[in-house]
Amino acid sequence: MALGGGGARGLAHLGVIEVLVDAGYAVERIVGVSMGSLVGAAFAFDPDVRRLQQRTAAYIRSTRFERFPPFRP
């Protein structure tokens, strides 16, 4: 599985992974760039994609995440 970069796109990979796993595809290799590499590493560490989605959503809603200012180039 090859995962691309970009914050929102990287998080969208969680939904794509869920659909692929539900369809019966086995993930043998994961590669990614930027946010895709973080999502891929998290999935490799814990292949329960629904739990990963829940943990990610909880973090994004947390006050810990809110402390980071938005990125403005």
Side-chain angles (χ1 to χ4, degrees):
M1 173 169 39
L3 306 174
R9 186 181 318 150
L11 292 177
H13 286 318
L14 293 172
V16 174
I17 293 169
E18 177 184 19
V19 170
L20 292 173
V21 168
D22 286 349
Y25 287 93
V27 178
E28 295 180 8
R29 291 174 185 82
I30 305 168
V31 297
V33 63
S34 193
M35 185 62 159
S37 64
L38 294 174
V39 171
F43 179 68
F45 182 73
D46 182 3
D48 184 340
V49 71
R50 287 179 182 78
R51 181 172 44 221
L52 183 55
Q53 290 170 332
Q54 291 170 350
R55 293 179 70 191
T56 302
Y59 176 69
I60 290 173
R61 291 186 197 111
S62 73
T63 56
R64 189 171 166 205
F65 181 76
E66 289 176 6
R67 289 190 315 209
F68 293 101
F71 176 73
R72 295 194 177 108

